[in-house]
Amino acid sequence: MYNYTLLEKFLFMPRRFKLSDLTKAVEGKTVLITGASSGIGKELALLFGKARVHLILVARRQEELQRIGAEIEKGNASVSVIPADLRNEKEMDGLLAFLHELPDGLDIVINNAGLSINRPVSKSLDRYHDFTRTMAINYFAPVRLLLTAIPLLAKKKGHIVNVSTINALLHPVPYWAAYQASKGAFDTWLRSAAPELKAQGISTSTIYLPLVKTPMIAPTAAYLGKPAMSPVHVAEIIGRAICHNRKGYKPWWLGSVELASLLFRKPLDMLVSRLVKKKEAGTVGN
């Protein structure tokens, strides 16, 4: 189903997913999904669309959203398509106004929209916008969205799901400064806010993911042929987290990697430093 290689099956350990559990858990609820036009967001929309739910699909690409929405509405779900770039204040204002007008409130927010940039700092000296745009979509947009959504979610004892990255828990690596800083910022924000949200009856889940087979990874040549999760599998993991009110998901091997990155921080720093020097020397030589 996921077209996994033997190595991917070992790394990502697929489990049987019970659609009936999800349809029962979300029946009659209103679910907001950002970044819903492709990748994980699209698969989430298609999966949740098998239940009797109201889906609010948000992304920049209106045509693609409408196509997905039309396909979903052939079943039991109803769909509201909100074409919006969440970095744009006016478009965000429109989304927030729409949420406040919902007759049945808001039950679940899945923060999936994101931007990834792989670029050395040395090639970013005149590209300050790389950092502002990653912070805009990966940090400021979900914070602003939730500041409006929290009162709505509190009324329904709702659920927030954040689609994050394993890099937020690991030792930072070169060439990903803009991306890792922005993802780490929102990860910290949500973990800090989680006890306060819990006191209001709002559940939170963070899904820490390794590489996923989405259009976002296509520009990075180094990812070609690397083990990566299926977005269909990820959608099911998120569905399971909501069904069973789980705090989140991590690959089974991540705990060992976290421990190693802590215990061997100094040698790792030295190794990474040597690799970067070697790469930079090769770049200059060419």
Side-chain angles (χ1 to χ4, degrees):
M1 182 180 178
Y2 309 130
N3 296 320
Y4 278 163
T5 64
L6 191 60
L7 177 58
E8 288 170 336
K9 286 179 181 177
F10 172 70
L11 290 174
F12 310 134
M13 294 281 187
R15 290 178 53 193
R16 183 170 172 269
F17 177 74
K18 291 180 69 175
L19 180 61
S20 58
D21 286 350
L22 178 65
T23 55
K24 183 179 178 181
V26 302
E27 183 174 358
K29 294 188 175 180
T30 299
V31 182
L32 168 64
I33 303 171
T34 66
S37 62
S38 65
I40 296 169
K42 176 184 175 181
E43 297 303 334
L44 278 167
L46 294 174
L47 179 63
F48 280 66
K50 294 174 182 177
R52 190 178 67 82
V53 296
H54 175 201
L55 291 177
I56 304 169
L57 306 183
V58 182
R60 288 177 296 170
R61 295 184 294 171
Q62 182 172 358
E63 254 184 56
E64 191 61 23
L65 279 181
Q66 289 175 333
R67 188 189 68 76
I68 295 166
E71 182 178 344
I72 291 170
E73 287 193 318
K74 292 175 184 177
N76 296 320
S78 64
V79 180
S80 296
V81 166
I82 310 290
D85 183 339
L86 299 182
R87 297 169 295 187
N88 182 297
E89 286 197 19
K90 287 185 179 179
E91 292 180 17
M92 175 67 93
D93 286 342
L95 170 61
L96 300 183
F98 174 84
L99 295 181
H100 278 294
E101 293 169 3
L102 288 170
D104 298 318
L106 182 63
D107 297 276
I108 299 169
V109 173
I110 303 177
N111 174 50
N112 170 68
L115 176 68
S116 173
I117 292 180
N118 174 19
R119 183 170 288 121
V121 171
S122 60
K123 293 185 178 179
S124 304
L125 302 182
D126 59 349
R127 296 181 61 91
Y128 177 61
H129 61 277
D130 281 352
F131 302 90
T132 57
R133 62 184 177 144
T134 47
M135 287 298 287
I137 192 64
N138 294 345
Y139 177 62
F140 291 119
V143 169
R144 188 177 177 204
L145 172 60
L146 289 179
L147 290 178
T148 286
I150 284 168
L152 304 176
L153 292 167
K155 289 178 183 177
K156 303 294 291 286
K157 304 300 178 187
H159 199 142
I160 297 166
V161 180
N162 179 37
V163 179
S164 190
T165 169
I166 61 172
N167 298 81
L169 300 175
L170 299 176
H171 192 58
V173 295
Y175 309 122
W176 293 96
Y179 176 69
Q180 290 188 160
S182 60
K183 294 295 281 188
F186 185 69
D187 179 72
T188 300
W189 185 91
L190 187 59
R191 285 191 287 124
S192 176
E196 300 176 53
L197 297 173
K198 186 177 180 181
Q200 298 182 57
I202 303 172
S203 301
T204 58
S205 302
T206 300
I207 312 299
Y208 293 102
L209 297 173
L211 200 61
V212 181
K213 296 171 185 174
T214 67
M216 193 165 72
I217 72 170
T220 307
Y223 286 160
L224 294 176
K226 293 289 193 304
M229 292 188 80
S230 160
V232 175
H233 186 189
V234 174
E236 292 179 353
I237 287 169
I238 293 169
R240 198 176 288 117
I242 290 170
C243 287
H244 304 291
N245 198 19
R246 291 180 177 164
K247 283 184 141 184
Y249 165 85
K250 299 178 186 179
W252 63 266
W253 39 264
L254 184 59
S256 299
V257 178
E258 284 181 88
L259 183 61
S261 70
L262 179 64
L263 294 178
F264 304 105
R265 189 164 193 158
K266 189 171 182 179
L268 279 171
D269 281 342
M270 293 172 65
L271 174 63
V272 168
S273 226
R274 284 198 296 270
L275 291 173
V276 169
K277 283 181 181 178
K278 186 176 179 181
K279 184 171 182 177
E280 293 297 321
T283 303
V284 172
N286 291 331

